[in-house]
Amino acid sequence: MALTGLGGVNIPYYLEEEQGWALQVEGLHRALKDFKDVCNPVALYVINPGNPTGHVQSKKTIEEVIRFAAEKRLVLLVDEVYQDCVFGKGSEFVSYRKVLSEIGPPLSQNVELASFHSVSKGFMGECGLRGGYVELVNLDPEVMSYAYTMFSADSCPTVTGQLALDLMVNPPRQGDPSYPVYVQEIQTIKTLIVQNMSRCLEVLNSMPDISCQPMMGGVFIFPRLHLPQKAINKANALGIQADLWYCNMLLEEAGVCVGPGCEFGQEEGTHHIRLCVLTPVDTMEEALQRLKNFHLHFLQEFS
Ligand SMILES: Cc1ncc(COP(=O)(O)O)c(C=O)c1O
């Protein structure tokens, strides 16, 4: 959004929904090819673990993406703000920086990488405490010095934001007085997310015309709506994206607030909604039941 705001052109690439929203490098090649006469691409933005998809990339995928960036001479902008929030069986967060350094020279010394992290996500989940960092690797020294000046001139986060950031990167260790409370809190949040995620999958996948991939990380689930043609026609006639229209009605009629897939970008002709699973179990259950009732009525009206 920031780059678009500064006049950059966004080249969308799509993830493989049926493969749990995996990133395939072929998709990146396709995207570049489609835009070859439009602009000169300079950077590749990746979110891992994914929002809104909840996918966690494997080491193999990361290596392929790094090789792609090297071949196409793209700066890698890697948004890793959900790195502490991984719970899928067999999935593990591996940082792009680690994989890059393990690839070895010349790539480990050439590929320019920016890794982002923020206190507003992960276990801290404190959007109110603004704080984050970007780690720049292999940047051209001239650009690096420009970045340093630019960041220094910017106003810094509040002291509480900086304290939160410090705690995030340097959490209590065994033997520290707050360690048991910290571990307990983390475990409670993890258990809550896992419980909510599996309940969401169970309810959503039991509903007609909704399908949902399991999430491996992050705090969102991104089910697909298979909307009836009559509903799509109606939305078109109203001049609104069909999933945005669905979300508006879900909010107005059932009091449930979710995000429409069209706001995140999705394959043409597909529709999605994004639900947050970082919420108390009772609230999650209530939201799911309201969503289910609304959805069944919606289908009845438009099928
Ligand atoms: C992938 C991703 N990156 C960055 C952010 C924003 O981070 P911040 O709150 O530090 O601006 C979000 C917020 O939802 C996010 O989902």
Side-chain angles (χ1 to χ4, degrees):
M1 284 163 78
L3 292 175
T4 310
L6 290 168
V9 175
N10 177 25
I11 302 179
Y13 62 90
Y14 297 100
L15 306 170
E16 304 296 324
E17 180 164 7
E18 295 309 317
Q19 294 168 35
W21 295 109
L23 188 160
Q24 295 287 0
V25 174
E26 293 75 44
L28 299 178
H29 280 286
R30 263 198 310 277
L32 276 198
K33 203 164 148 232
D34 289 348
F35 274 68
K36 73 177 183 345
D37 298 327
V38 178
C39 61
N40 174 30
V42 290
L44 170 60
Y45 173 69
V46 181
I47 309 178
N48 180 54
N51 169 16
T53 61
H55 179 76
V56 179
Q57 292 176 5
S58 65
K59 202 173 154 199
K60 179 170 169 285
T61 299
I62 296 174
E63 196 175 318
E64 286 170 1
V65 174
I66 291 174
R67 291 190 188 283
F68 173 85
E71 182 194 325
K72 304 293 179 192
R73 298 184 57 81
L74 301 172
V75 178
L76 269 170
L77 305 176
V78 192
D79 190 327
E80 299 181 313
V81 303
Y82 293 100
Q83 59 186 260
D84 296 321
C85 218
V86 174
F87 37 78
K89 276 204 182 89
S91 37
E92 177 200 12
F93 170 75
V94 189
S95 74
Y96 266 70
R97 183 182 179 174
K98 182 163 189 276
V99 179
L100 179 60
S101 74
E102 285 173 5
I103 285 179
L107 263 56
S108 60
Q109 290 162 355
N110 291 345
V111 175
E112 293 177 293
L113 170 83
S115 163
F116 300 88
H117 199 9
S118 164
V119 293
S120 71
K121 297 293 160 281
F123 291 117
M124 307 295 289
E126 291 289 357
C127 297
L129 299 175
R130 310 301 299 167
Y133 66 81
V134 55
E135 185 172 3
L136 302 167
V137 181
N138 290 337
L139 239 65
D140 182 302
E142 273 188 45
V143 179
M144 193 69 180
S145 114
Y146 177 78
Y148 188 77
T149 310
M150 196 176 72
F151 283 126
S152 310
D154 229 356
S155 52
C156 65
T158 58
V159 172
T160 42
Q162 293 185 50
L163 283 171
L165 184 67
D166 185 61
L167 281 171
M168 182 178 76
V169 295
N170 185 20
R173 312 226 171 256
Q174 204 151 13
D176 290 349
S178 51
Y179 183 73
V181 180
Y182 173 75
V183 171
Q184 193 187 13
E185 180 74 9
I186 298 273
Q187 201 46 50
T188 307
I189 296 171
K190 267 198 173 176
T191 309
L192 177 75
I193 294 182
V194 171
Q195 200 175 337
N196 280 345
M197 180 199 65
S198 70
R199 183 67 185 140
C200 279
L201 277 180
E202 186 185 3
V203 174
L204 293 165
N205 281 328
S206 74
M207 285 158 60
D209 293 333
I210 287 196
S211 57
C212 191
Q213 300 292 324
M215 61 193 281
M216 300 148 81
V219 296
F220 299 105
I221 197 158
F222 198 50
R224 178 167 175 182
L225 302 174
H226 303 271
L227 296 174
Q229 193 56 45
K230 202 170 144 191
I232 296 172
N233 293 346
K234 173 89 185 186
N236 286 344
L238 293 168
I240 182 171
Q241 300 271 3
D243 46 16
L244 175 58
W245 179 58
Y246 180 99
C247 289
N248 286 349
M249 279 193 289
L250 176 63
L251 179 61
E252 281 162 19
E253 293 176 22
V256 177
C257 182
V258 299
C262 62
E263 275 183 6
F264 304 101
Q266 58 195 348
E267 292 261 22
E268 209 173 313
T270 66
H271 302 100
H272 297 83
I273 52 174
R274 186 187 77 167
L275 285 86
C276 181
V277 298
L278 189 51
T279 186
V281 172
D282 295 351
T283 313
M284 190 85 249
E285 190 60 36
E286 167 95 25
L288 284 173
Q289 290 315 318
R290 288 185 188 203
L291 171 62
K292 188 171 175 175
N293 290 338
F294 168 83
H295 185 73
L296 295 177
H297 279 130
F298 181 90
L299 289 184
Q300 228 171 28
E301 195 174 339
F302 291 102
S303 288

Coordinates of all heavy atoms in Angstrom, one line a residue, residues 45 47 51 79 81-82 118 120-121 130-131 220, ligand 1:
Y45 N 7.5 -8.4 -2.9 CA 7.0 -8.3 -1.5 C 6.4 -9.7 -1.2 O 5.6 -10.2 -1.9 CB 5.9 -7.2 -1.4 CG 5.2 -7.2 -0.1 CD1 5.8 -6.8 1.1 CD2 3.9 -7.5 0.0 CE1 5.2 -6.8 2.3 CE2 3.2 -7.5 1.2 CZ 3.8 -7.1 2.3 OH 3.1 -7.1 3.5
I47 N 4.8 -12.1 2.1 CA 4.4 -12.2 3.5 C 4.5 -13.6 4.0 O 3.9 -14.5 3.4 CB 2.9 -11.8 3.7 CG1 2.6 -10.4 3.1 CG2 2.6 -11.7 5.2 CD1 1.2 -10.0 3.2
N51 N -0.6 -13.5 5.7 CA -1.9 -12.9 6.0 C -2.5 -12.5 4.7 O -1.8 -11.7 3.9 CB -1.7 -11.7 6.9 CG -2.9 -10.8 7.0 OD1 -4.0 -11.2 6.8 ND2 -2.7 -9.6 7.5
D79 N 7.9 -9.5 4.7 CA 7.1 -9.2 5.8 C 6.9 -10.4 6.7 O 6.2 -11.4 6.4 CB 5.7 -8.7 5.3 CG 4.9 -8.1 6.3 OD1 5.0 -8.5 7.5 OD2 4.1 -7.2 6.0
V81 N 6.0 -10.5 10.0 CA 5.5 -10.1 11.3 C 4.7 -11.2 12.1 O 4.5 -11.0 13.3 CB 4.5 -8.8 11.2 CG1 5.3 -7.7 10.5 CG2 3.3 -9.1 10.4
Y82 N 4.4 -12.3 11.4 CA 3.7 -13.4 12.1 C 4.6 -14.5 12.5 O 4.2 -15.6 12.7 CB 2.5 -13.9 11.3 CG 1.4 -12.9 11.1 CD1 1.3 -12.1 9.9 CD2 0.5 -12.6 12.1 CE1 0.3 -11.2 9.8 CE2 -0.5 -11.7 12.0 CZ -0.6 -10.9 10.8 OH -1.5 -10.0 10.7
S118 N 7.1 -6.5 13.7 CA 6.3 -5.5 14.4 C 5.7 -6.1 15.7 O 5.4 -7.2 15.8 CB 5.2 -5.1 13.4 OG 4.2 -4.4 14.2
S120 N 2.9 -5.3 16.7 CA 1.5 -5.3 16.6 C 1.0 -6.7 16.2 O -0.2 -6.9 16.2 CB 1.0 -4.2 15.7 OG 1.3 -4.5 14.4
K121 N 1.9 -7.6 15.9 CA 1.4 -9.0 15.5 C 2.1 -10.0 16.4 O 2.8 -9.7 17.3 CB 1.8 -9.2 14.0 CG 1.0 -8.3 13.1 CD -0.5 -8.5 13.1 CE -1.3 -7.4 12.6 NZ -1.4 -6.3 13.6
R130 N 2.8 1.0 19.2 CA 3.4 1.1 17.9 C 5.0 0.9 18.0 O 5.6 1.6 18.7 CB 3.2 2.4 17.2 CG 1.8 2.9 17.1 CD 0.9 1.9 16.4 NE 1.2 1.7 15.0 CZ 0.8 0.7 14.3 NH1 -0.1 -0.2 14.8 NH2 1.2 0.5 13.1
G131 N 5.5 -0.1 17.3 CA 6.9 -0.4 17.3 C 7.2 -1.5 16.3 O 6.4 -2.4 16.2
F220 N -5.3 -15.4 11.0 CA -6.5 -15.3 10.2 C -6.8 -16.6 9.5 O -5.9 -17.5 9.3 CB -6.3 -14.2 9.1 CG -6.1 -12.9 9.7 CD1 -4.9 -12.3 9.8 CD2 -7.2 -12.2 10.3 CE1 -4.7 -11.1 10.3 CE2 -7.0 -10.9 10.8 CZ -5.7 -10.4 10.9
Ligands
LIG1 C1 1.4 -8.9 7.1 C2 1.3 -7.6 7.9 N1 2.3 -6.8 7.9 C3 2.3 -5.6 8.6 C4 1.2 -5.3 9.3 C5 1.1 -4.0 10.1 O1 2.1 -3.9 11.0 P1 2.1 -2.5 11.9 O2 0.9 -2.6 12.9 O3 3.4 -2.6 12.6 O4 1.9 -1.4 11.0 C6 0.1 -6.1 9.4 C7 -1.1 -5.8 10.1 O5 -2.1 -6.3 10.0 C8 0.2 -7.3 8.6 O6 -0.9 -8.2 8.7

